[in-house]
Amino acid sequence: ERNEFYTDRKGNLFLRYAHTDEFIPGKGPYILYGISHEIGHTCLLAVFPDTNKAWYTEATNEAWAHFYGCMLTSMLYETRSDSLWPNPYNYGNDGMPRIMEQIKDEEDDFMIRCRAWIELNEIIGFENYPDFFHRLKELKLTNKNSSDVFPKVISEFGSDEQSKIWTDKFGKRLLTN
């Protein structure tokens, strides 16, 4: 049996583990990252629950959750340091340092999608993602209009130039139309 983190697409988060030893740093999965990753899924699904009309693919959803998980893990480490986990270790390395190393692979489609979220974060700021997603929803973003609506909202949070650069670089890969 292996460890699993997952959501049921209804906002519930589940953790299955084979043995409590898997919570010992270095023996099990990235526990805090895994929980943070699944929270990322629930954030996206809370705003865009109808995945049949979603503007994102499953790969884009996974890339978002990976970025979010890494970001939240690093933020937890910055605020709580080693004190958050019973066996002190630098779980902060499971966050942004890990993804920044991973995105150096410029050929891997998944890592390019992760890089898209990181570069969008540089434009809009992590704290603005809730407002960003709610603005997309307000404009009725779907799989049929994503190539028009998504860049418009990027411009609202950044600039037209930033939106154009980001969309030219990542739009076809991240958006469904």
Side-chain angles (χ1 to χ4, degrees):
E1 189 174 343
R2 64 185 191 100
N3 295 319
E4 291 183 300
F5 295 101
Y6 61 96
T7 60
D8 63 2
R9 306 282 186 193
K10 296 177 184 171
N12 297 307
L13 174 69
F14 299 91
L15 163 64
R16 286 189 186 155
Y17 59 94
H19 192 274
T20 55
D21 283 352
E22 296 184 18
F23 288 93
I24 297 171
K27 287 195 169 192
Y30 303 104
I31 300 291
L32 293 173
Y33 159 79
I35 293 168
S36 299
H37 173 105
E38 294 305 326
I39 291 170
H41 283 307
T42 62
C43 291
L44 195 58
L45 288 166
V47 181
F48 302 103
D50 187 355
T51 55
N52 292 330
K53 295 180 182 173
W55 52 270
Y56 56 87
T57 64
E58 187 59 32
T60 297
N61 182 14
E62 284 301 324
W64 159 255
H66 186 48
F67 158 72
Y68 187 93
C70 288
M71 191 71 159
L72 190 55
T73 300
S74 287
M75 292 170 75
L76 283 168
Y77 191 78
E78 287 173 18
T79 58
R80 298 296 304 270
S81 189
D82 292 336
S83 69
L84 187 63
W85 206 246
N87 301 359
Y89 81 109
N90 185 350
Y91 58 86
N93 288 333
D94 300 345
M96 291 308 289
R98 180 167 64 117
I99 197 173
M100 295 309 287
E101 186 61 33
Q102 291 171 329
I103 65 168
K104 289 179 182 176
D105 183 345
E106 296 186 10
E107 303 299 318
D108 183 274
D109 182 66
F110 180 72
M111 286 302 126
I112 293 168
R113 290 171 192 269
C114 291
R115 189 178 308 111
W117 288 115
I118 291 167
E119 290 190 22
L120 183 59
N121 186 63
E122 292 168 5
I123 297 169
I124 71 169
F126 190 72
E127 69 281 359
N128 292 317
Y129 270 110
D131 292 336
F132 181 82
F133 286 146
H134 283 287
R135 180 68 176 134
L136 291 171
K137 184 176 183 175
E138 191 177 278
L139 294 176
K140 301 185 182 343
L141 178 71
T142 68
N143 56 351
K144 299 207 182 313
N145 67 6
S146 62
S147 61
D148 296 323
V149 173
F150 209 89
K152 176 183 176 10
V153 176
I154 293 173
S155 291
E156 291 177 14
F157 283 78
S159 69
D160 290 342
E161 180 182 1
Q162 289 172 312
S163 177
K164 180 173 179 5
I165 291 168
W166 187 92
T167 303
D168 288 349
K169 191 172 181 181
F170 300 113
K172 286 187 169 81
R173 192 171 310 253
L174 209 67
L175 306 173
T176 56
N177 73 329

